Amino acid sequence: MRRHSLPNKNILDILISTSKKSSNHILFIENKKKITRKEFVEKILKIKGGLKKKGLKKGDKVLSLLENSYEEIILFFACITSGIIWIPLGSERKGIGLEYIIKLTKPKIVFSKKIKPKNLPKSLYRKIYKINKNLKNLEWKENFFNILDLNKLSCIIFTSGTTGPPKGVMVSQKMLLTSAYATGMAANINIKDKLLLWEPLYHIGGLEIIVLALLENITIIIEKKFSAKNFWTSVRKYKISKLHYLGGILDILLKLKKSKHDRNHNIKIGFGAGARPDVITKFKKRFNINLREVYGMTEASSFTTINFNKKKNSIGKALPWFDVKIKKNFFKDKLGEILINEKINGLLTKGYYNDTSATKELLKRDGLHTGDIAKKDINGNYFYIGREKDSVRVRGENISSWEIETTLNKKNFISESAILKTKADIGENDMIALVIPKTNTMNVRQIAFKCQKDFSKNYLPRYWCIMHKFPRTPSLRIDKKNINLSKIRLFDQKKSKFINIK
């Protein structure tokens, strides 16, 4: 893949041109089904025709309650190349968050494999379009209608933010193509590479993988969802050559029982975000896979930095089409918020859909405010510290949760940890440490005591609790906002007793 030369064609043109050059190339594999480029494009054109017959037109919004599948991939490409705005949510989204999104976006049609999905309000059943196997019920005459403006809104991707209601990131074809191109750079993508699509298609990480398949002669194996139990079986069966990771999947894979086959695979490199330094070392030692850290967010075409130089603990240097700065604030050690500006127009989102207030917080005169804290060395390498909002203010000092969690996770008796906060008796906040131990041989008092020497006064958590598991976001990060502290009994290290927080 040529670096620094972003795709300038629209997605339908790329689909058609690559299908003519490599018509018999196997693009996707789902179970025993193999789909060539030619078959893929022909199917998309027929579904575009079916969408038109259904009365859908440019600017209409459709909601997808589908899980990863060939059918969802076809619908995605058919919609965005027809100017129909794609809103992927997945089959398990429910509750207040789902109702909020529906009210905000007002979709014309909801795609589902069920006529009456339990997670959908009954008032919307009339909007359901039930998807059949291979989309046979939606085929019609081929439609070549094409969207030429790469900067037009193509899809709305809702983030699983830590605070407030879900925010819908407005994403264009140009952003999708840029994210896919950067994915190929991070993966050292080569002809005949095989990638496992485990990440849900309501996340930018899943979409960029399937768009990458248009740019390069690679093969994507479609998985409904991530399964630790079946992961290595799939990797070996399909001879996966590149591993995309995100959030907590590396921790989950390291928790699997060790096997003599751990190094029996074809993976040449792993690339992704959110791997702790100790996890990178452990993963390399056990599975013989080098990991390449990246940094980015949906709002900025997914990838902003890539660690090509193998700089220890770094998220790498800025990609050439972005200008990245650290805006100094009240954190110590020259830390500050990551700010992003585009050098090529159209690589940053135009904002959050129908959310003026959140958009104003994101996009300001000096650039896109990520809300992420980092530092930069003299050679231009960036080092991620944590979320600005994911910090605890103790006795006038802002302390990054990431720093405390990383310290705890290095202990040989702790598997994972999460730092939360509660209002202090005097002052601002007290820190809460939730930990998953590696064995059941230590109680919470012993764990708290053994960690004391690793922290100065302000950095030592006051409250402790042993957890069996954490709730997870769609990208398998620890979902802190869904941890109900009122139902957890905490050990107060200061008073040496157990309490409940109201």
Side-chain angles (χ1 to χ4, degrees):
M1 176 176 284
R2 291 180 296 117
R3 293 190 180 183
H4 317 339
S5 180
L6 296 177
N8 54 18
K9 290 184 178 180
N10 61 61
I11 286 176
L12 187 59
D13 285 345
I14 294 172
L15 276 165
I16 293 173
S17 63
T18 54
S19 70
K20 289 178 180 178
K21 292 177 183 177
S22 308
S23 60
N24 294 322
H25 169 248
I26 303 299
L27 192 58
F28 294 105
I29 298 176
E30 185 178 41
N31 297 322
K32 296 181 180 180
K33 183 177 181 179
K34 296 180 179 180
I35 301 103
T36 65
R37 283 189 182 272
K38 182 180 179 182
E39 292 168 333
F40 185 64
V41 173
E42 288 176 349
K43 190 74 173 182
I44 288 172
L45 295 176
K46 289 178 182 178
I47 299 306
K48 281 165 66 72
L51 295 171
K52 182 179 180 181
K53 183 187 178 186
K54 185 92 181 137
L56 288 167
K57 59 186 184 299
K58 184 179 176 181
D60 285 341
K61 295 182 288 294
V62 297
L63 202 68
S64 170
L65 295 183
L66 303 172
E67 56 191 8
N68 281 14
S69 62
Y70 175 56
E71 290 82 7
E72 184 176 22
I73 293 172
I74 291 290
L75 278 169
F76 164 72
F77 282 113
C79 285
I80 67 168
T81 58
S82 300
I84 298 166
I85 299 167
W86 180 254
I87 308 172
L89 291 182
S91 60
E92 296 181 359
R93 196 71 175 252
K94 59 183 178 181
I96 295 173
L98 175 61
E99 292 178 14
Y100 173 83
I101 291 170
I102 291 169
K103 185 177 180 180
L104 183 75
T105 60
K106 298 179 176 60
K108 189 169 183 178
I109 281 181
V110 178
F111 291 118
S112 171
K113 285 197 172 182
K114 297 179 180 178
I115 296 177
K116 297 180 179 180
K118 293 181 180 179
N119 54 333
L120 197 69
K122 291 182 180 180
S123 60
L124 285 179
Y125 283 175
R126 58 187 173 80
K127 290 190 175 185
I128 289 285
Y129 188 87
K130 185 179 181 296
I131 294 302
N132 291 344
K133 186 70 176 175
N134 212 28
L135 298 170
K136 286 291 185 182
N137 60 328
L138 195 55
E139 287 187 355
W140 192 243
K141 297 175 183 178
E142 290 186 350
N143 177 13
F144 286 84
F145 176 72
N146 200 357
I147 297 301
L148 300 176
D149 189 345
L150 292 177
N151 293 310
K152 289 287 186 182
L153 176 62
S154 286
C155 56
I156 303 172
I157 301 176
F158 279 87
T159 63
S160 53
T162 55
T163 59
K167 295 189 286 290
V169 184
M170 294 191 285
V171 177
S172 66
Q173 278 196 42
K174 192 168 190 176
M175 291 174 66
L176 288 168
L177 286 164
T178 301
S179 69
Y181 186 83
T183 299
M185 290 176 62
N188 286 350
I189 213 71
N190 293 305
I191 294 174
K192 296 183 179 179
D193 267 338
K194 292 183 178 180
L195 279 73
L196 194 67
L197 176 65
W198 62 265
E199 192 164 354
L201 292 173
Y202 50 82
H203 192 283
I204 189 69
L207 294 179
E208 65 200 19
I209 294 292
I210 63 173
V211 176
L212 174 63
L214 310 185
L215 304 179
E216 298 291 330
N217 265 355
I218 61 175
T219 300
I220 306 296
I221 287 76
I222 303 169
E223 300 268 310
K224 284 186 177 181
K225 59 183 178 180
F226 174 76
S227 167
K229 181 181 178 181
N230 300 322
F231 182 82
W232 291 111
T233 301
S234 294
V235 163
R236 296 181 184 108
K237 177 181 177 181
Y238 295 106
K239 297 182 179 179
I240 301 299
S241 56
K242 302 292 168 66
L243 164 66
H244 179 222
Y245 65 85
L246 197 66
I249 77 158
L250 300 179
D251 289 294
I252 293 170
L253 293 175
L254 283 170
K255 288 178 183 177
L256 295 173
K257 187 177 179 180
K258 289 186 177 181
S259 165
K260 62 181 180 180
H261 302 297
D262 279 345
R263 294 186 167 210
N264 179 22
H265 56 75
N266 287 50
I267 296 175
K268 302 295 188 295
I269 190 173
F271 64 99
R276 303 189 310 274
D278 61 310
V279 169
I280 292 174
T281 302
K282 291 174 185 175
F283 210 82
K284 165 66 176 175
K285 183 177 179 180
R286 178 170 168 181
F287 299 109
N288 195 31
I289 299 175
N290 288 311
L291 301 181
R292 174 176 287 163
E293 276 285 288
V294 308
Y295 166 80
M297 57 194 303
T298 307
E299 291 88 336
S301 299
S302 188
F303 284 68
T304 303
T305 69
I306 302 177
N307 187 9
F308 287 117
N309 298 327
K310 300 180 181 179
K311 182 70 175 178
K312 188 176 181 180
N313 302 342
S314 175
I315 54 174
K317 295 183 178 181
L319 288 170
W321 43 86
F322 286 125
D323 178 30
V324 180
K325 295 179 180 178
I326 300 294
K327 183 178 181 180
K328 300 295 189 297
N329 56 22
F330 41 79
F331 283 88
K332 65 171 189 173
D333 296 334
K334 298 181 180 180
L335 306 181
E337 183 184 11
I338 300 173
L339 263 60
I340 307 172
N341 279 284
E342 59 190 12
K343 293 181 180 178
I344 300 173
N345 183 50
L347 302 188
L348 299 181
T349 183
K350 292 180 179 178
Y352 297 117
Y353 186 77
N354 276 357
D355 194 334
T356 305
S357 176
T359 298
K360 285 182 178 179
E361 285 187 25
L362 177 75
L363 301 173
K364 299 181 181 180
R365 287 185 178 181
D366 54 354
L368 185 148
H369 284 242
T370 65
D372 289 318
I373 303 302
K375 61 182 178 180
K376 178 184 176 182
D377 69 14
I378 58 173
N379 296 315
N381 297 295
Y382 290 87
F383 298 82
Y384 180 81
I385 303 301
R387 292 289 295 167
E388 184 173 18
K389 291 182 179 178
D390 191 14
S391 62
V392 185
R393 191 163 177 82
V394 180
R395 300 179 184 89
E397 182 178 5
N398 271 19
I399 299 169
S400 165
S401 297
W402 178 89
E403 183 175 346
I404 310 302
E405 290 162 357
T406 300
T407 303
L408 292 173
N409 294 338
K410 286 182 178 179
K411 309 297 287 184
N412 60 13
F413 49 85
I414 292 176
S415 176
E416 282 186 281
S417 65
I419 294 297
L420 281 76
K421 60 188 174 185
T422 185
K423 187 161 177 37
D425 298 331
I426 301 174
E428 294 127 327
N429 302 126
D430 279 324
M431 203 181 300
I432 300 170
L434 307 177
V435 300
I436 297 178
K438 288 186 176 178
T439 67
N440 58 3
T441 57
M442 295 175 64
N443 61 41
V444 69
R445 292 174 185 265
Q446 292 169 323
I447 290 175
F449 177 76
K450 278 185 169 286
C451 293
Q452 280 188 26
K453 63 181 180 181
D454 295 287
F455 300 105
S456 58
K457 184 178 180 181
N458 284 2
Y459 285 64
L460 176 65
R462 174 174 176 176
Y463 301 106
W464 297 76
C465 180
I466 289 177
M467 304 286 286
H468 298 294
K469 64 179 182 179
F470 288 119
R472 301 277 179 179
T473 67
S475 58
L476 301 181
R477 289 187 173 94
I478 295 174
D479 189 358
K480 293 185 180 182
K481 73 176 184 299
N482 281 324
I483 297 175
N484 190 346
L485 289 175
S486 65
K487 295 184 178 180
I488 296 175
R489 192 160 174 78
L490 301 171
F491 173 65
D492 183 347
Q493 188 179 37
K494 185 177 180 180
K495 296 184 177 180
S496 192
K497 68 177 184 179
F498 287 89
I499 66 154
N500 288 100
I501 293 177
K502 296 180 180 180

